[in-house]
Amino acid sequence: MIDTWFVAIATFAYLGALFAVARFGDRRADAGRSVITSTVYALAIAVYCTSWTFYGSVGRATSGGMSFLTIYLGPTIMFLFATVILKMIRVSKRLRLTSIADFISARYGKSQLLAGLVTVIAVIGIVPYIALQLKAIAYSLKILFPDDPEALIPDALESLAFMPDSTAIIAIILAVFTILFGTRHLDVTERHEGMVLAVAFESLLKLAAFMAVGAYVVWGLNDGFGDLFARAATLPKINELLQPDAINFGNWFALTLLSGLAILLLPRQFQITVVENVDETHMRRAVWLFPLYLLLINIFVLPIALAGLIHFDGQPFEANPMLALLAFLGGLSAATGMVIVETIALATMVSNVLVMPILLRGRFDISNRTDLTGLIMLIRRSTIVFLLLLGYLYFRGAGEAYALVSIGLISFLAVAQFAPAMLGGLYWKDGNRLGAFAGLGLGFAVWLYTALLPSFAKSGWIDSGFILDGPWGISWLAAHRLLGMNSLDPISHTLFWSLLLNVGAYVI
């Protein structure tokens, strides 16, 4: 059993180290000596690997076998053919774009309305992903303290109505830390070299932690890979997961496509890969180092899953406290990196695209003020708090009924709606603003109806009849069986219909 105070000290020591690394990177950048090398850049892109990777991949492997690999095949393929990413970097630098909303709207006459729609979709779509990080940290605390999952809440706070559980504490800590971490100063380029260095550091930590756990499972609990897989093969239920006929190729294709789009379109990935790029030649190393990172962090996923099914199937198990703490810090690192970069990217979009245009041109006209720095920072900090609050509310409202992987895929489906407008804007000269707006609007509406609303229905917050039976009994409007299509799983179903209508409206 690990003492609560020791976990708390280790947690804040890690957060302090991360903050120190960021300060160092910022000071070097201010002095004109950038710390962003090609290796740092490639490691920072690994912010893609969140607590979903750290915990969710193992969970998916226990039920879906090798299907967890689809989440990493897409990004690997995309980076092996990185011409799209290079073009995005060059366009962004030439036009001085600072967010994915700017990027999409710039191709269509710098439409403020289109940029606003992209921002709204990004904010709503990423909320489940933020909830995922909160859920992962909260559940890892329950594992560390099974008899007292609220052990990290001080006694003085337990009675407060606004402090119902440890997840709320986690959300508050992450909000404060992100504000201190990423909104200390304003940069016209929206680059945060200290943040990039810190994210690269946390990428190393989560990789080391995951591989340490994997090595312990393979060689500490078993006699190597051969022994572990041989034991798994003797158990029929586990052996079924490893058979080739267990692969659903339609689902594999959908998830590979979805993850390939996500590595381009998630706001945090656009922020790191495009906005934070200081030298496009850094992509030369990223095209092989990032896929290598994905390979290394996934080597032990299946062995850990198999060992869990073998050893923990209703049997007591002697814990390794220090390894458990390392795993917790690795998962915390993965979640922290995601929340920091994602909320900073979204806060930039909200302030630049939604709030400031209203303040500058509306009845609140502030265009005559000489210094708007303080106001912009206030807007961004308030947005960060608001995003963490929404993430917490989603976790309480719907997230507890979903596995980690399922929550993450809901967000992947949302940002996939950017693909037609973005890729069409890059490669198709006949694409226009009306088509981009119509496509995004229809795709987003389908996502809301077939992915987001069902997540609340499955949690009991709204009636679930519309999912399989359709609203008012209209079967062809069933959220998971649109027009009678019942051959696809929910994720593939949403991807198919949302992109079909999105692309169709865009092209027409």
Side-chain angles (χ1 to χ4, degrees):
M1 181 69 177
I2 307 176
D3 290 330
T4 304
W5 64 266
F6 188 72
V7 174
I9 289 175
T11 298
F12 284 101
Y14 159 71
L15 295 176
L18 204 63
F19 190 79
V21 170
R23 287 294 299 272
F24 170 75
D26 282 337
R27 285 198 300 267
R28 288 290 296 269
D30 293 340
R33 295 179 293 171
S34 175
V35 295
I36 308 303
T37 64
S38 57
T39 300
V40 169
Y41 175 69
L43 288 173
I45 294 172
V47 72
Y48 176 79
C49 299
T50 67
S51 57
W52 179 8
T53 296
F54 213 81
Y55 302 119
S57 290
V58 175
R60 187 171 184 86
T62 61
S63 59
M66 301 294 287
S67 65
F68 74 92
L69 289 175
T70 55
I71 307 304
Y72 310 98
L73 283 175
T76 298
I77 294 170
M78 190 62 71
F79 263 74
L80 293 179
F81 301 94
T83 55
V84 176
I85 300 174
L86 274 174
K87 188 165 186 177
M88 290 167 59
I89 292 172
R90 290 166 181 166
V91 169
S92 294
K93 286 185 176 180
R94 186 172 71 250
L95 301 180
R96 297 182 179 180
L97 307 175
T98 58
S99 70
I100 193 170
D102 286 346
F103 190 96
I104 292 176
S105 68
R107 166 61 177 79
Y108 304 99
K110 296 185 178 180
S111 168
Q112 196 68 35
L113 188 61
L114 185 59
L117 178 60
V118 171
T119 301
V120 169
I121 293 174
V123 169
I124 297 175
I126 295 302
V127 164
Y129 217 150
I130 295 173
L132 184 158
Q133 314 310 313
L134 300 178
K135 177 174 182 174
I137 299 174
Y139 276 49
S140 61
L141 285 175
K142 289 183 179 180
I143 294 173
L144 283 176
F145 307 107
D147 299 325
D148 187 8
E150 308 296 330
L152 292 186
I153 300 180
D155 292 339
L157 296 177
E158 287 185 345
S159 61
L160 298 181
F162 59 85
M163 203 65 64
D165 54 32
S166 60
T167 312
I169 292 285
I170 294 165
I172 292 170
I173 291 173
L174 286 177
V176 172
F177 185 69
T178 303
I179 288 171
L180 294 174
F181 194 94
T183 59
R184 296 194 306 274
H185 62 271
L186 199 62
D187 189 323
V188 293
T189 65
E190 300 297 355
R191 286 181 181 154
H192 312 77
E193 294 200 7
M195 178 190 73
V196 175
L197 182 64
V199 170
F201 171 76
E202 66 89 14
S203 291
L204 288 176
L205 176 62
K206 67 191 178 192
L207 177 62
F210 199 92
M211 296 194 76
V213 172
Y216 175 75
V217 167
V218 172
W219 290 286
L221 300 181
N222 300 277
D223 294 326
F225 287 104
D227 172 58
L228 180 58
F229 280 91
R231 294 175 65 185
T234 63
L235 302 175
K237 289 185 178 179
I238 299 178
N239 189 46
E240 289 178 6
L241 296 176
L242 307 178
Q243 300 305 313
D245 58 6
I247 296 177
N248 182 326
F249 289 101
N251 181 257
W252 271 58
F253 174 79
L255 293 181
T256 301
L257 173 62
L258 194 57
S259 59
L261 294 176
I263 200 66
L264 296 178
L265 304 173
L266 283 167
R268 73 174 184 276
Q269 297 305 141
F270 188 91
Q271 179 72 34
I272 292 292
T273 309
V274 178
V275 177
E276 304 289 352
N277 181 278
V278 297
D279 186 344
E280 69 177 53
T281 61
H282 288 173
M283 277 298 297
R284 295 175 184 171
R285 177 161 295 182
V287 294
W288 64 265
L289 185 55
F290 175 61
L292 176 62
Y293 184 97
L294 296 182
L295 173 65
L296 292 176
I297 206 168
N298 280 286
I299 285 177
F300 291 108
V301 168
L302 194 59
I304 293 174
L306 295 179
L309 291 171
I310 293 171
H311 290 280
F312 299 158
D313 188 18
Q315 301 298 319
F317 188 75
E318 183 178 352
N320 184 320
M322 294 312 297
L323 197 65
L325 177 60
L326 180 61
F328 169 73
L329 291 177
L332 176 67
S333 177
T336 303
M338 179 274 176
V339 170
I340 289 172
V341 182
E342 200 78 82
T343 54
I344 288 174
L346 291 174
T348 300
M349 293 165 63
V350 169
S351 66
N352 291 358
V353 176
L354 296 182
V355 181
M356 290 307 296
I358 295 175
L359 294 180
L360 289 172
R361 291 198 294 267
R363 51 184 266 183
F364 308 100
D365 186 10
I366 58 170
S367 56
N368 58 344
R369 293 177 58 170
T370 56
D371 186 3
L372 297 174
T373 301
L375 178 62
I376 294 173
M377 298 302 284
L378 176 62
I379 293 169
R380 294 187 180 182
R381 289 166 179 168
S382 301
T383 301
I384 289 170
V385 173
F386 181 65
L387 289 169
L388 267 298
L389 174 62
L390 287 179
Y392 172 75
L393 293 176
Y394 183 86
F395 164 74
R396 300 299 299 174
E400 293 186 274
Y402 270 73
L404 292 179
V405 170
S406 298
I407 298 176
L409 290 176
I410 291 174
S411 290
F412 274 28
L413 287 166
V415 299
Q417 306 314 311
F418 301 151
M422 172 174 278
L423 299 178
L426 283 174
Y427 295 104
W428 190 39
K429 63 181 178 63
D430 291 327
N432 61 55
R433 179 175 55 191
L434 179 60
F437 193 87
L440 275 170
L442 281 175
F444 181 55
V446 172
W447 173 81
L448 283 173
Y449 182 65
T450 63
L452 188 64
L453 288 181
S455 72
F456 289 104
K458 291 181 180 180
S459 302
W461 285 82
I462 59 177
D463 182 72
S464 61
F466 75 97
I467 297 178
L468 297 178
D469 301 326
W472 308 289
I474 305 174
S475 59
W476 57 275
L477 288 180
H480 287 172
R481 296 178 180 177
L482 287 178
L483 298 184
M485 180 179 286
N486 56 13
S487 59
L488 298 177
D489 63 273
I491 298 299
S492 301
H493 180 270
T494 296
L495 181 66
F496 172 79
W497 283 112
S498 63
L499 286 187
L500 177 66
L501 294 180
N502 191 329
V503 173
Y506 180 63
V507 172
I508 291 171

